[in-house]
Amino acid sequence: DTGVSQNPRHKITKRGQNVTFRCDPISEHNRLYWYRQTLGQGPEFLTYFQNEAQLEKSRLLSDRFSAERPKGSFSTLEIQRTEQGDSAMYLCASSPYSLNYGYTFGSGTRLTVV
Amino acid sequence: AQSVTQPDIHITVSEGASLELRCNYSYGATPYLFWYVQSPGQGLQLLLKYFSGDTLVQGIKGFEAEFKRSQSSFNLRKPSVHWSDAAEYFCAVGWDNTDKLIFGTGTRLQVFP
């Protein structure tokens, strides 16, 4: 068990470009979550998957954001036409079927939009 | 609406002193309660959790937390802080009617030698 893996660790992009992040969860975890964390704030929920089904999306997730988990394993989060306000740490977490186990987080992808 | 409050943004303690970090939540149903710790530039590590049973729970690194239903609180404690405990601490809460955790805004702990 190698934990939750996120790539890349850091991404610097110009405003208006598209970016994609990848998350590989713990293999036996069927739930996968994306959160966004800005400086001085707690993680904010973006979306989550149970297996390959995307079950909930936050209103924070504008139409420029899309997430997939095509085979119920790894997930990608894409941001189109990035804006400076998208600069944040994007955290991925996974968990077994029940919330009482809590989440296991990855180390995050830090996005800087210049 | 469901919410989580960590009233203390920043706490400074001396090494060896005791520590208590506060967490309160809204919403009446029995919650799932967690404390996470985050070092700079890193993801979050689970310290401890509570969802039923004994209201005093023990976690890693010598931390404990107590669930008080009457106060809607889940405060984190440590009897003697070490310099390596300096980090950001987040309380997180979940409920049966939602499959996600809601996080507080965090408390930054600074430890002086």
Side-chain angles (χ1 to χ4, degrees):
Chain A
D1 179 3
T2 56
V4 178
S5 176
Q6 290 189 249
N7 288 288
R9 288 295 309 275
H10 303 276
K11 178 71 176 179
I12 300 175
T13 190
K14 292 183 178 179
R15 190 176 54 177
Q17 297 295 304
N18 299 344
V19 294
T20 300
F21 310 140
R22 176 177 170 128
C23 173
D24 288 89
I26 293 173
S27 57
E28 58 266 31
H29 287 182
N30 65 351
R31 291 185 175 181
L32 185 149
Y33 300 82
W34 286 99
Y35 280 75
R36 181 171 66 187
Q37 186 181 23
T38 53
L39 199 63
Q41 298 297 314
E44 295 177 296
F45 171 79
L46 293 178
T47 188
Y48 95 97
F49 295 83
Q50 183 162 301
N51 299 313
E52 65 274 13
Q54 188 173 18
L55 296 187
E56 188 174 345
K57 290 171 59 173
S58 165
R59 281 172 288 182
L60 293 175
L61 214 63
S62 77
D63 57 5
R64 297 184 297 106
F65 288 70
S66 62
E68 294 182 339
R69 194 182 183 196
K71 297 183 179 179
S73 56
F74 73 92
S75 176
T76 58
L77 177 68
E78 181 183 18
I79 309 174
Q80 296 182 329
R81 305 180 303 281
T82 53
E83 303 172 354
Q84 284 190 320
D86 297 330
S87 295
M89 174 78 89
Y90 290 83
L91 294 165
C92 176
S94 68
S95 75
Y97 65 91
S98 177
L99 191 57
N100 62 351
Y101 289 93
Y103 296 170
T104 301
F105 278 90
S107 297
T109 294
R110 179 162 296 284
L111 173 66
T112 302
V113 181
V114 297
Chain B
Q2 298 159 336
S3 65
V4 181
T5 302
Q6 292 182 248
D8 304 305
I9 296 173
H10 186 201
I11 285 183
T12 301
V13 299
S14 298
E15 191 169 19
S18 63
L19 172 71
E20 183 170 26
L21 302 183
R22 297 182 290 166
C23 173
N24 295 91
Y25 63 90
S26 68
Y27 200 64
T30 300
Y32 299 91
L33 299 160
F34 305 85
W35 275 98
Y36 284 86
V37 61
Q38 185 179 36
S39 298
Q42 299 298 312
L44 283 75
Q45 180 184 20
L46 180 65
L47 284 176
L48 47 76
K49 60 185 178 182
Y50 170 83
F51 58 93
S52 67
D54 191 345
T55 56
L56 183 64
V57 293
Q58 302 298 319
I60 62 171
K61 305 185 180 187
F63 285 93
E64 66 178 26
E66 186 172 14
F67 170 51
K68 293 185 177 180
R69 184 186 302 277
S70 61
Q71 299 177 17
S72 297
S73 70
F74 188 56
N75 293 350
L76 181 71
R77 301 194 294 248
K78 187 170 185 179
S80 178
V81 171
H82 188 263
W83 64 266
S84 60
D85 294 324
E88 187 108 25
Y89 291 80
F90 293 96
C91 179
V93 185
W95 289 268
D96 273 331
N97 64 344
T98 176
D99 291 320
K100 62 181 183 284
L101 295 182
I102 297 175
F103 286 80
T105 51
T107 297
R108 178 165 298 278
L109 175 65
Q110 193 170 7
V111 181
F112 280 116

